[in-house]
Amino acid sequence: MARIDVLMPQMGESIAEGTLSKWLKKLGDQVKRDEPLFEISTDKVDAEIPAPAAGTLAEIKVQEGQTVPVQTLVAVLETEKGAAVVAPAPTPAPAAAPAPKPAAPAPVVATAPVATAPKGDGAETIEERLRRRSTPLVRKIASEHRLDISQIPGTGFAGRVTKHDILGYIERAPATATAAPRSPLPTGAVEHPAAEPWPGDRVEPWSKIRRITADHMIMSRRVSAHVASFFEIDYSRVAQLRAAHKQSYADRGVNLTFLAFIAKACAENLRQHPVVNAAVSGDSTIYRRDINIGIAVALDWGLIVPVIRHADELSLLGMARAINDLGERARTKKLSPDDIQRGTFTITNPGGFGPYAGIPIINQPQVAILGVGTIEKRPIVIDDAIGIRTMAYLTLGYD
């Protein structure tokens, strides 16, 4: 028998830890190579992790709900002696990972919760460099409050500063940390009041993705002055085109939706209006060269925004296929962290749940978001006569 170590994967450059949210196999179960073994939840995305080899789930080292650094030993698979495996050396080592396989810094950063003091010659240690590689959200909050990340105690992997660390630091030290004068809300406004469950109530803890979304939206309201403009749109011509081409798209495995037309129109117009395809960084505006459109997808366990890269280069067929693909992979937990990063503009579709319109919250650090209301036939006035047209409202939320 050969033993294969299963490690907590690094799901992106800025991901330092993950929460094992669910085991998909039980101890002693047979597992096929690339068969989903467990689910993880990071601060970016939920994903199913496949087995690195076929075998038997012999040991479970990390329990459901436990958060551990990347490269932590999660489980052990036992394979037959003759099985071909891409894994550590077959000698059954103790609990420690074999030396040849992991990257050299891994054992160092896993045991260094706080960076060491700078060397006398001014050189920065590996631990210090890792601490500074915080997530974009943490860096944005630090920039807005004019904070030095290196001065904030971190509880993340290798002492990195997490979002909760920096928000807690701001709340504990308002005199020194609240340097952003434009925030009218108290820094502790992110805290929610506790409510007592009554007999017969059902208490359901939030998923990690739902909790992160809630915090992100509260932060967005605090840092951006939201304005919303409403536009009534006549989709009658779009409805005719969709009806004429829907079957031919279906023959190629693509569902042609109204959303594909909307995303295509946005992609073509963002180049003409770069102020909407931008980001705010401190006291500066960054005008993005790329046009990457995020499409909000509502899931049972939360909301996620996968991104269509270089959307302005896609045809209508390519746009529809990209929306279908990202939506399906979001629902089946097949997205990678790269799929939800580097968005420059977001589209959300509350109309899928029935409302005429919604007022969406900006997806930071972007500056605008488009909300799509329900699309339906309505009576409207056309040349002093009443006609039936396919209508809907669009809401542009912007800073």
Side-chain angles (χ1 to χ4, degrees):
M1 302 290 285
R3 291 167 63 84
I4 307 299
D5 288 346
V6 181
L7 307 178
M8 174 63 72
Q10 181 155 12
M11 296 289 291
E13 183 181 355
S14 63
I15 305 296
E17 62 186 13
T19 301
L20 198 153
S21 52
K22 183 179 181 182
W23 278 103
L24 303 176
K25 295 292 182 179
K26 300 189 296 293
L27 199 62
D29 282 356
Q30 292 293 317
V31 181
K32 299 178 182 178
R33 181 183 177 89
D34 295 328
E35 184 179 10
L37 184 60
F38 59 93
E39 293 180 359
I40 66 170
S41 178
T42 71
D43 62 351
K44 299 290 185 185
V45 70
D46 288 354
E48 292 180 347
I49 305 304
T56 302
L57 183 55
E59 296 181 44
I60 292 178
K61 300 289 189 180
V62 175
Q63 303 302 316
E64 291 183 356
Q66 191 174 348
T67 300
V68 295
V70 298
Q71 300 303 311
T72 296
L73 182 64
V74 170
V76 176
L77 296 178
E78 286 187 351
T79 69
E80 295 188 10
K81 187 179 295 184
V85 294
V86 180
T91 47
K101 188 66 180 176
V108 177
V109 297
T111 57
V114 181
T116 56
K119 299 185 182 301
D121 58 2
E124 200 174 41
T125 66
I126 293 175
E127 292 90 345
E128 289 167 334
R129 286 199 299 272
L130 283 169
R131 268 179 53 79
R132 291 181 181 277
R133 286 176 58 185
S134 55
T135 64
L137 175 58
V138 170
R139 293 196 296 273
K140 178 175 176 59
I141 296 173
S143 173
E144 290 164 347
H145 290 273
R146 301 189 180 95
L147 298 176
D148 182 358
I149 292 178
S150 65
Q151 302 303 313
I152 301 174
T155 61
F157 182 52
R160 291 171 63 170
V161 178
T162 68
K163 178 189 63 177
H164 296 292
D165 292 334
I166 193 168
L167 291 178
Y169 181 84
I170 292 170
E171 292 172 10
R172 290 191 301 272
T176 58
T178 313
R182 67 175 190 171
S183 174
L185 297 176
T187 54
V190 72
E191 295 295 334
H192 300 280
E196 180 183 354
W198 298 335
D201 291 349
R202 179 170 59 90
V203 178
E204 182 177 315
W206 286 359
S207 66
K208 187 168 186 176
I209 223 171
R210 191 180 297 276
R211 187 168 60 250
I212 290 170
T213 300
D215 291 347
H216 191 65
M217 293 299 96
I218 291 173
M219 182 273 291
S220 182
R221 279 292 193 184
R222 189 166 62 222
V223 303
S224 291
H226 281 63
V227 177
S229 296
F230 293 80
F231 305 89
E232 189 174 26
I233 307 298
D234 186 344
Y235 287 90
S236 298
R237 178 59 179 154
V238 173
Q240 293 172 0
L241 290 171
R242 179 171 178 260
H245 297 283
K246 188 173 183 180
Q247 186 56 51
S248 66
Y249 277 53
D251 293 341
R252 286 178 276 186
V254 178
N255 180 25
L256 181 58
T257 63
F258 283 100
L259 186 57
F261 288 91
I262 295 168
K264 176 65 174 168
C266 288
E268 292 181 352
N269 281 276
L270 285 172
R271 183 72 63 201
Q272 302 176 40
H273 303 281
V275 71
V276 186
N277 193 65
V280 171
S281 178
D283 296 329
S284 302
T285 301
I286 301 172
Y287 295 94
R288 300 295 191 190
R289 179 193 63 182
D290 296 338
I291 293 177
N292 303 331
I293 295 182
I295 305 292
V297 179
L299 306 169
D300 291 340
W301 55 91
L303 181 73
I304 198 164
V305 186
V307 175
I308 301 172
R309 303 285 182 89
H310 307 293
D312 56 323
E313 300 175 6
L314 296 177
S315 64
L316 180 61
L317 175 63
M319 185 71 74
R321 179 173 280 123
I323 291 172
N324 290 182
D325 172 63
L326 289 174
E328 178 61 24
R329 288 197 285 129
R331 286 183 284 272
T332 56
K333 300 186 177 181
K334 295 292 192 296
L335 292 173
S336 73
D338 287 342
D339 290 325
I340 61 170
Q341 298 189 70
R342 300 179 69 87
T344 62
F345 182 82
T346 296
I347 300 174
T348 184
N349 186 20
F353 300 98
Y356 279 112
I359 304 179
I361 298 174
I362 297 168
N363 185 13
Q364 298 293 330
Q366 299 166 26
V367 298
I369 182 171
L370 186 71
V372 180
T374 189
I375 300 173
E376 61 182 6
K377 290 185 177 181
R378 300 178 198 156
I380 65 168
V381 176
I382 306 171
D383 296 331
D384 294 329
I386 295 198
I388 304 298
R389 308 288 285 182
T390 302
M391 305 294 293
Y393 289 102
L394 293 179
T395 306
L396 184 66
Y398 52 98
D399 186 347

